[in-house]
Amino acid sequence: PYILSLLFFGLFLGTSITVSSSHWLLAWMGLEINTLAIIPLMAQNHHPRAIEATTKYFLTQATAAATLLFASVTNAWLTGQWDISLMTHPVPTTMIILALSLKLGLAPLHTWLPEVLQGLSLTTGLILSTWQKLAPFALLLQIPTPHQDLLIFIGLTSTLVGGWGGLNQTQLRKILAYSSIAHLGWMLLIMQFAPSLTLLALLTYLVMTTATFLTLKNNNATSINTLATSWTKAPLLTAITPLLLLSLGGLPPMTGFMPKWLILQELTKQQFPMTAVLAALTALLSLYFYLRLCYAMTLTMSPNNLAGTSLWRLPSLQTSLLLSTSALTAILILPLTPAITTLMNL
């Protein structure tokens, strides 16, 4: 417990240093603390797959951090500025955007994310998909971007890859990794036009992903086939989960529809109708595999051979406060959209 609390403190410290810094060296240091704190958490169950995932993660994060450091030193050399919000030269700015995209796992630099997430336990996967996205996102939001096209290209590629990659998967963690890539792509599309919308999308993404991961952890499910047995374990949760998955897919009247609706609206306001159309079409791809999960969970019966007999209904010892809160938030907040948009515009 002491070591665990130390590692969580390291995670918290790294993210808060990065979020609150305005100097590139401090931001880089925060990202490094963050990476080093999550690596023991990833490798804690000594399984070859977990070790492999940890090694892949370490190598990609080290590459991204080295590129980031190199770009910020180049920026200081060219402009004499170490300040994050005063990036004026296009070359180091592009390099930094690409380095942060690699850290976040945005397409076309996404290939490590499904592989890494597949090797982790659901709890560590939850930390990787939610908390680890905050620090690089804070940096991306602070950089003034002289070239919109790069961000829009990365955003559209991510939504496309996130939809396409998840179609053929049977492993839930890989599906969630592709879903994460698609959601981050949506946030990147709107980043230079309405940063507050990006934050709103990030918050809803965090809530929905937390609820999904906790549901899977509660059911101890890692592949689509094991979802079919979940109705014997937790009937009420199985009834709520399809709504949760449809919320992730961005279907009204769930919460997940709100950021997508506002982002498409903002893109058309900014004279990017084709981008909005393409983003909406790629959302359909994601919706397909969420529907597939819903179908497997609610409309199929598990095969009743000896290996697949329904599991005993033992009382669950897991605390479910966070799960219930995040699940309800991920489903019911759409009616509050006017209030949220008013708050954002204040």
Side-chain angles (χ1 to χ4, degrees):
Y2 291 123
I3 296 176
L4 210 62
S5 51
L6 189 68
L7 291 175
F8 281 126
F9 175 69
L11 278 177
F12 178 72
L13 181 74
T15 305
S16 42
I17 285 178
T18 307
V19 168
S20 56
S21 63
S22 60
H23 192 287
W24 272 119
L25 269 181
L26 264 177
W28 172 80
M29 192 176 76
L31 289 171
E32 283 298 291
I33 293 173
N34 220 344
T35 307
L36 292 176
I38 200 173
I39 279 173
L41 286 173
M42 289 175 149
Q44 63 183 343
N45 50 346
H46 301 289
H47 190 277
R49 195 166 260 175
I51 306 294
E52 182 193 344
T54 313
T55 314
K56 284 178 181 168
Y57 182 75
F58 175 71
L59 288 173
T60 47
Q61 297 300 309
T63 312
T67 315
L68 187 84
L69 191 61
F70 175 64
S72 48
V73 171
T74 313
N75 182 59
W77 175 53
L78 288 169
T79 61
Q81 284 289 353
W82 277 102
D83 207 301
I84 295 178
S85 53
L86 293 175
M87 297 284 293
T88 46
H89 204 283
V91 178
T93 311
T94 310
M95 281 165 64
I96 280 177
I97 288 175
L98 289 174
L100 291 171
S101 301
L102 178 59
K103 264 201 176 300
L104 286 165
L106 287 159
L109 308 165
H110 66 284
T111 41
W112 61 273
L113 184 61
E115 299 294 326
V116 167
L117 210 57
Q118 179 55 33
L120 303 179
S121 69
L122 285 166
T123 319
T124 323
L126 170 65
I127 298 173
L128 180 68
S129 302
T130 53
W131 185 257
Q132 292 295 88
K133 307 285 186 210
L134 295 179
F137 238 95
L139 291 179
L140 269 177
L141 277 168
Q142 288 179 58
I143 303 173
T145 44
H147 27 260
Q148 303 173 345
D149 302 340
L150 177 67
L151 282 182
I152 285 187
F153 168 73
I154 293 178
L156 271 181
T157 321
S158 298
T159 54
L160 188 64
V161 165
W164 218 296
L167 292 182
N168 206 16
Q169 301 296 339
T170 55
Q171 296 293 327
L172 295 177
R173 285 166 294 187
K174 277 194 177 176
I175 288 182
L176 284 170
Y178 282 112
S179 132
S180 160
I181 294 168
H183 278 278
L184 292 173
W186 277 88
M187 292 170 219
L188 227 69
L189 280 177
I190 201 67
M191 187 172 273
Q192 68 260 34
F193 307 124
S196 54
L197 258 186
T198 304
L199 281 175
L200 174 71
L202 183 63
L203 279 174
T204 48
Y205 160 76
L206 293 181
V207 169
M208 294 186 298
T209 311
T210 308
T212 315
F213 266 102
L214 290 173
T215 307
L216 297 181
K217 186 171 179 290
N218 201 21
N219 284 329
N220 201 5
T222 50
S223 72
I224 290 187
N225 292 340
T226 45
L227 276 181
T229 63
S230 55
W231 63 272
T232 53
K233 288 186 256 184
L236 185 61
L237 192 59
T238 312
I240 291 176
T241 312
L243 297 177
L244 191 61
L245 290 166
L246 292 177
S247 178
L248 263 173
L251 221 62
M254 306 335 155
T255 310
F257 175 60
M258 172 175 61
K260 288 192 172 163
W261 168 34
L262 294 172
I263 285 171
L264 292 175
Q265 192 179 335
E266 187 63 37
L267 278 173
T268 39
K269 270 187 204 164
Q270 299 286 351
Q271 310 297 316
F272 282 98
M274 274 313 292
T275 313
V277 168
L278 283 170
L281 287 175
T282 52
L284 288 176
L285 289 169
S286 304
L287 187 62
Y288 171 76
F289 61 78
Y290 294 125
L291 280 171
R292 191 163 146 228
L293 291 185
C294 295
Y295 175 75
M297 199 160 187
T298 51
L299 299 172
T300 54
M301 296 281 282
S302 58
N304 275 334
N305 52 12
L306 274 178
T309 44
S310 53
L311 294 101
W312 285 99
R313 266 173 135 184
L314 293 169
S316 171
L317 298 174
Q318 299 174 10
T319 49
S320 55
L321 177 67
L322 183 60
L323 170 58
S324 51
T325 318
S326 54
L328 289 175
T329 317
I331 293 170
L332 298 174
I333 285 197
L334 188 68
L336 297 180
T337 309
I340 292 169
T341 42
T342 315
L343 280 174
M344 278 178 2
N345 294 331
L346 284 179

